[in-house]
Amino acid sequence: MRDLSPLTQVADSVATRSPLQLLVLSNGHGEDIIAVRILQELQQLSSPPDIFALPIVGEGRAYQQLNIPCIGSVQTMPSGGFIYMDSRQLMRDVRGGLVQLTWNQILAVRRWVSYQTKLGNKKAILAVGDIVPLLFAAISGANYAFIGTAKSEYYVRDEVGLLTRKSKSARWENFSGSIYHPWERWLMSRRRCRAVFPRDALTTEILKKWPIPAFDLGNPMMDGLEPTFSTQKFYAADAEEEERVRPLIVTLLPGSREPEAYSNWEIMMIAVSGLVASFRERDSIFPSTGTVIFLGAIAPGLDCHILSQSLQIQGWRSCPESPVQLSDANILTFKQRNAYLVLSQQAYNDCLHLGDLAIAMAGTATEQFVGLGKPAIAIPGNGPQYNPAFAEAQSRLLGASLILVDQPAQVAQAVKSLLKNPDSLQIIAENGVQRMGRSGAAKRIAECLQDRLGKNNLNRLTQNVRL
């Protein structure tokens, strides 16, 4: 029999009248994408929240695609959000109106919370990124949860212990026993912070040393990467021979932001030329009849005409037939002797899954490739994102899965070393999955958010009615 007490009737009435009002704060394009993946899972749950957003960096186009309303001012800064390793980029943003924009956004969050409070609605904030959205959430006056995408204990340690660092200033990163500094942990340990979702198990383990509600539910970056083809393997009698003679497939990840991606592409083409030449050497470890296929995973916002011109200058010629089947009707295929190069702007997932290894100068894409259990060879660029400092930090984050070289001409030797050591490839496969996690994190986080943000609000409401 249903409980029809006044307390239950009031709680049920408010819950029916007002679903949870959720405001999402994120500070970067990659963070927007992660937030949207979780919001899509939230929308599939029973009694989904009403969702609002405030992208702190950029225009929040990922939210626009889901028709999620934005509550405040948005503006693209000159740095594109990459200021944490370059003070010059920070000053450009300050001159571009960063301080005023930040203040306006703080006021917008406070107004949103005040408005929901006046309506008597359940409300909460989901902060995605680093300390900036976390701080916005903490001073909002509402309950909040935090998805930490920017920091990982792998930057300073592995499962064995602290990493050896050359720079004396590196001690600052872990001076208090965690990659998260005391003031960040303080924000995560407040009573109104209902849940924290670190990006990996090691970071979760460290944070649990303090009174922080940390949950190890995986990394949403690894969600939504399913290829269009079946990855199930069937082993025939000649499977070993087929594996020996099949083409080597190298995925190219130049990044997504112009003009940096075009500069990265020129650097990567030097590496590609060196790798193609290594196939023709007498002592090559590659089969004499073998070919190499390069798959360029090109962001939709880039101009493939610019990339194509670069290829043609270097002796690549347009080819009518592609050596691989991709879910992209507009691929561009080029050929040079025993090598093919395919450009695709619509088959990102397929390019990740088909690649045996990657030549990478990207942030998120490199980490996703490694998370599939594959090695990536990285070349530092000129920034603002993929500069030497960023590449070095990413090599600590990804460990054995990321091979960092100083010059593009060194890529061919790095590939040879990988293929000569199959045991290292197995270590890399296990390392990538351990550091990046398995798919399905967005759904697990969404379910936890519903429990931690929704039900607890209702519990406090019934307590207030009882008083």
Side-chain angles (χ1 to χ4, degrees):
M1 180 179 294
R2 187 182 178 191
D3 183 358
L4 296 178
S5 66
L7 174 63
T8 303
Q9 290 177 5
V10 171
D12 285 350
S13 174
V14 174
T16 301
R17 184 175 68 249
S18 175
L20 174 67
Q21 306 296 299
L22 181 66
L23 173 61
V24 184
L25 309 176
S26 55
N27 63 328
H29 174 73
E31 288 78 4
D32 295 350
I33 297 297
I34 289 173
V36 163
R37 286 181 185 146
I38 295 167
L39 298 182
Q40 288 173 320
E41 294 294 340
L42 271 171
Q43 291 174 335
Q44 299 302 314
L45 300 178
S46 60
S47 302
D50 292 335
I51 301 171
F52 304 82
L54 180 59
I56 298 172
V57 174
E59 299 177 0
R61 294 179 182 176
Y63 297 114
Q64 296 172 16
Q65 293 174 357
L66 280 187
N67 294 319
I68 294 175
C70 178
I71 69 159
S73 302
V74 296
Q75 182 180 341
T76 299
M77 288 287 108
S79 73
F82 298 108
I83 63 174
Y84 72 100
M85 287 185 177
D86 192 337
S87 58
R88 292 173 298 179
Q89 298 293 337
L90 174 59
M91 291 310 300
R92 288 178 63 201
D93 284 2
V94 170
R95 289 193 295 269
L98 176 63
V99 175
Q100 186 62 47
L101 175 66
T102 300
W103 178 245
N104 290 339
Q105 290 173 334
I106 291 174
L107 293 178
V109 173
R110 295 296 296 265
R111 283 195 299 267
W112 182 87
V113 171
S114 176
Y115 178 72
Q116 299 299 337
T117 301
K118 289 179 180 178
L119 293 179
N121 291 337
K122 296 180 293 181
K123 59 192 177 298
I125 292 178
L126 174 61
V128 183
D130 56 22
I131 190 173
V132 176
L134 175 60
L135 180 60
F136 278 32
I139 64 179
S140 71
N143 289 340
Y144 57 95
F146 175 55
I147 299 175
T149 64
K151 287 194 172 186
S152 167
E153 289 295 330
Y154 283 116
Y155 282 119
V156 295
R157 72 179 80 231
D158 57 20
E159 284 75 12
V160 177
L162 292 175
L163 303 177
T164 301
R165 306 286 296 281
K166 296 180 181 179
S167 171
K168 292 182 179 180
S169 62
R171 298 174 183 173
W172 166 253
E173 294 182 63
N174 187 58
F175 79 95
S176 65
S178 170
I179 188 72
Y180 280 104
H181 297 319
W183 48 91
E184 295 171 306
R185 300 197 303 264
W186 184 82
L187 295 174
M188 288 185 274
S189 63
R190 298 300 86 200
R191 179 183 60 84
R192 287 186 289 102
C193 182
R194 313 304 301 184
V196 172
F197 305 100
R199 57 177 291 153
D200 51 64
L202 180 60
T203 308
T204 306
E205 179 184 345
I206 297 296
L207 286 180
K208 284 186 174 179
K209 295 180 179 180
W210 293 275
I212 294 172
F215 297 85
D216 177 25
L217 300 182
N219 190 337
M221 285 174 59
M222 296 310 298
D223 288 358
L225 297 179
E226 295 78 13
T228 60
F229 54 84
S230 173
T231 56
Q232 188 173 5
K233 297 181 179 179
F234 297 92
Y235 294 94
D238 60 348
E240 185 175 342
E241 176 65 16
E242 289 183 1
E243 179 67 17
R244 190 182 70 83
V245 301
R246 76 171 179 83
L248 176 72
I249 301 180
V250 180
T251 300
L252 306 177
L253 303 171
S256 60
R257 290 172 173 81
E258 55 180 357
E260 181 180 0
Y262 301 131
S263 175
N264 290 348
W265 184 256
E266 296 297 328
I267 295 172
M268 295 174 76
M269 286 304 100
I270 300 174
V272 166
S273 296
L275 190 53
V276 170
S278 72
F279 269 66
R280 301 193 295 270
E281 296 175 357
R282 284 190 175 185
D283 63 344
S284 174
I285 65 171
F286 307 111
S288 59
T289 58
T291 60
V292 60
I293 300 171
F294 297 94
L295 300 180
I298 310 303
L302 299 180
D303 187 346
C304 271
H305 180 67
I306 295 176
L307 306 181
S308 299
Q309 283 185 322
S310 174
L311 291 173
Q312 291 168 352
I313 291 172
Q314 298 178 51
W316 294 85
R317 294 295 173 256
S318 181
C319 179
E321 296 183 2
S322 172
V324 293
Q325 297 296 318
L326 296 176
S327 57
D328 184 352
N330 299 312
I331 60 172
L332 299 175
T333 303
F334 301 85
K335 192 174 188 300
Q336 185 182 104
R337 295 192 180 185
N338 59 333
Y340 291 87
L341 196 153
V342 182
L343 300 179
S344 173
Q345 292 183 290
Q346 302 298 328
Y348 175 73
N349 291 7
D350 289 353
C351 289
L352 293 188
H353 281 271
L354 286 169
D356 297 302
L357 57 96
I359 301 175
M361 299 181 70
T364 298
T366 303
E367 294 169 27
Q368 289 174 326
F369 188 88
V370 162
L372 295 177
K374 304 180 182 189
I377 302 171
I379 314 165
N382 300 316
Q385 181 190 17
Y386 214 81
N387 52 39
F390 185 98
E392 188 276 332
Q394 191 181 56
S395 71
R396 284 184 274 118
L397 172 68
L398 300 177
S401 298
L402 188 70
I403 297 95
L404 187 60
V405 299
D406 296 324
Q407 301 295 330
Q410 299 171 334
V411 168
Q413 184 57 48
V415 173
K416 289 181 181 180
S417 298
L418 278 172
L419 298 182
K420 284 181 179 179
N421 295 282
D423 289 345
S424 69
L425 293 176
Q426 180 60 35
I427 293 173
I428 285 171
E430 296 172 356
N431 176 74
V433 174
Q434 181 176 1
R435 296 200 178 211
M436 293 300 299
R438 300 187 182 278
S439 62
K443 182 177 182 179
R444 294 189 289 269
I445 291 174
E447 292 172 343
C448 187
L449 284 173
Q450 186 182 58
D451 179 67
R452 300 288 295 180
L453 296 178
K455 292 184 178 179
N456 286 336
N457 276 301
L458 181 58
N459 289 341
R460 278 193 297 275
L461 169 67
T462 57
Q463 290 170 3
N464 290 336
V465 172
R466 185 180 293 111
L467 293 175

